[in-house]
Amino acid sequence: MGRKAKDYSWPAAPPALPSPVIDNHTHLESLGDVLREGVPLPSISEVISDAARVGVSKMIQVGCDLESARVTDSMIREHAALAGAIAIHPNEAPLHTHTADVGPDGLEPRYESRHDTSLDDALAEIERIARSNNKIRAIGETGIDLFRAGEQGFLAQKESFRAHIALAKELNLAMQIHDRDAHQEVIDVLLADGAPERTVFHCFSGDAEMADLAAQHGWYLSFAGPVTFGANNELREALRRTPTSHVLVETDAPYLTPHPYRGRPNAPYLMPYTVHTIAHVQELNLVDACQRIVENTHTVYGLW
Ligand SMILES: [Zn+2]
């Protein structure tokens, strides 16, 4: 007999957490992008109420291309549980400068109509939205992605990253960093330009040494599904050494679904798995872990 077909449906909801917690990085406008045929797409209100039912009470919605930033602007006005982060993603920057090249992932650049806008104009639009909506609490995700870029692309990413750092400082907003295969490059830019006061490594992927460096500089580390994966002992060691005051949690939904549902779609209601791992590694009881994370989240992004 053949093997059982792979399951791409929504996982069952986990038991509710004993205390509310906040997902500081999710892409609710993109949930439909990962769903196979026949798998239902929940409305934003349903996503929020499913999350609330298991204790994930609030979220930072991240819109990191020109279109998603505009969608984020209106989505967070509509839903009390949401605040927002907006930016031009490092993988978008070289498309806006028309210098995109092929990185180690081997994918050809794919230009869309939004990339007709220059990087300067795109950044001006991010600034306009951020200034006009007080629920935008962070500039992000910005940074460097050396999996998706070659030498030319890297230059555009770096230019864009520096502009985002300046914008976060100018507007006194937090900043969320995307760092893929680019730890040293990201750190170099942060140290050269000076990091914004509240700087968060979204989906932190560094080792213990990098976590120590982040702690020295007061940077926050946000942990996502990968911290639950069996093989990621090095990442858990980094988490273990991170001061509890600088730990955040996220889903990065619809990507990075936590264990035991890797490969299936992700949404904020699945974040309790990651919270359990954080509590365990940080040697906190679950209530303390949730409360500390909420405190940290409010320190970084303010109340909403
Ligand atoms: Zn993300």
Side-chain angles (χ1 to χ4, degrees):
M1 293 302 289
R3 291 170 51 190
K4 213 171 128 204
K6 218 169 167 317
D7 188 354
Y8 294 110
S9 67
W10 289 106
L17 291 165
S19 181
V21 73
I22 302 173
D23 178 353
N24 92 110
H25 187 106
T26 184
H27 304 275
L28 300 185
E29 87 292 354
S30 298
L31 294 189
D33 296 0
V34 306
L35 298 179
R36 306 288 170 118
E37 222 186 301
V39 180
L41 174 63
S43 69
I44 303 300
S45 300
E46 285 168 333
V47 171
I48 291 170
S49 58
D50 289 349
R53 215 169 290 128
V54 297
V56 180
S57 60
K58 293 191 274 188
M59 289 139 244
I60 303 258
Q61 151 64 26
V62 182
C64 47
D65 65 43
L66 212 40
E67 285 159 31
S68 322
R70 291 176 178 136
V71 169
T72 297
D73 181 26
S74 53
M75 193 193 291
I76 66 177
R77 289 175 195 273
E78 211 173 304
H79 299 279
L82 305 179
I86 54 171
I88 302 300
H89 193 282
N91 293 331
E92 286 283 307
L95 295 165
H96 284 286
T97 54
H98 293 98
T99 58
D101 53 9
V102 178
D105 69 349
L107 287 180
E108 289 293 330
R110 263 200 27 216
Y111 287 94
E112 314 274 353
S113 59
R114 65 177 178 272
H115 302 126
D116 297 344
T117 305
S118 72
L119 182 60
D120 281 351
D121 288 351
L123 286 165
E125 175 68 354
I126 296 298
E127 176 169 357
R128 188 197 64 76
I129 297 171
R131 283 186 188 277
S132 66
N133 184 340
N134 65 12
K135 287 186 85 187
I136 299 286
R137 299 298 173 81
I139 296 299
E141 50 194 285
T142 178
I144 297 174
D145 188 321
L146 293 182
F147 185 59
R148 206 60 87 64
E151 196 50 44
Q152 281 298 317
F154 168 60
L155 293 176
Q157 291 183 347
K158 198 162 140 179
E159 177 196 342
S160 174
F161 185 25
R162 300 188 63 193
H164 283 87
I165 292 173
L167 181 60
K169 288 186 192 167
E170 159 90 21
L171 301 181
N172 190 25
L173 292 173
M175 184 175 73
Q176 294 190 348
I177 293 177
H178 171 98
D179 156 21
R180 187 162 185 189
D181 299 346
H183 301 328
Q184 196 55 54
E185 289 79 1
V186 164
I187 290 166
D188 288 347
V189 171
L190 286 177
L191 295 182
D193 285 21
E197 210 174 296
R198 282 120 49 227
T199 291
V200 177
F201 279 78
H202 127 70
C203 188
F204 180 68
S205 59
D207 59 9
E209 198 187 328
M210 185 170 169
D212 288 347
L213 182 85
Q216 266 171 42
H217 291 281
W219 300 334
Y220 292 80
L221 304 185
S222 176
F223 293 85
V227 81
T228 68
F229 299 168
N232 285 347
N233 290 319
E234 207 176 318
L235 183 58
R236 281 186 291 275
E237 175 57 17
L239 166 60
R240 194 183 66 76
R241 291 161 68 132
T242 303
T244 305
S245 59
H246 284 67
V247 172
L248 297 172
V249 66
E250 66 175 82
T251 54
D252 202 21
Y255 318 105
L256 304 179
T257 315
H259 179 78
Y261 293 118
R262 217 175 156 177
R264 291 173 65 180
N266 194 15
Y269 79 96
L270 292 170
M271 201 174 71
Y273 295 104
T274 309
V275 176
H276 277 268
T277 298
I278 291 175
H280 177 76
V281 172
Q282 284 263 312
E283 296 179 26
L284 297 167
N285 70 50
L286 210 45
V287 172
D288 282 348
C290 293
Q291 289 177 350
R292 296 295 298 273
I293 290 170
V294 166
E295 256 172 53
N296 301 342
T297 309
H298 286 147
T299 301
V300 173
Y301 304 104
L303 291 168
W304 74 94

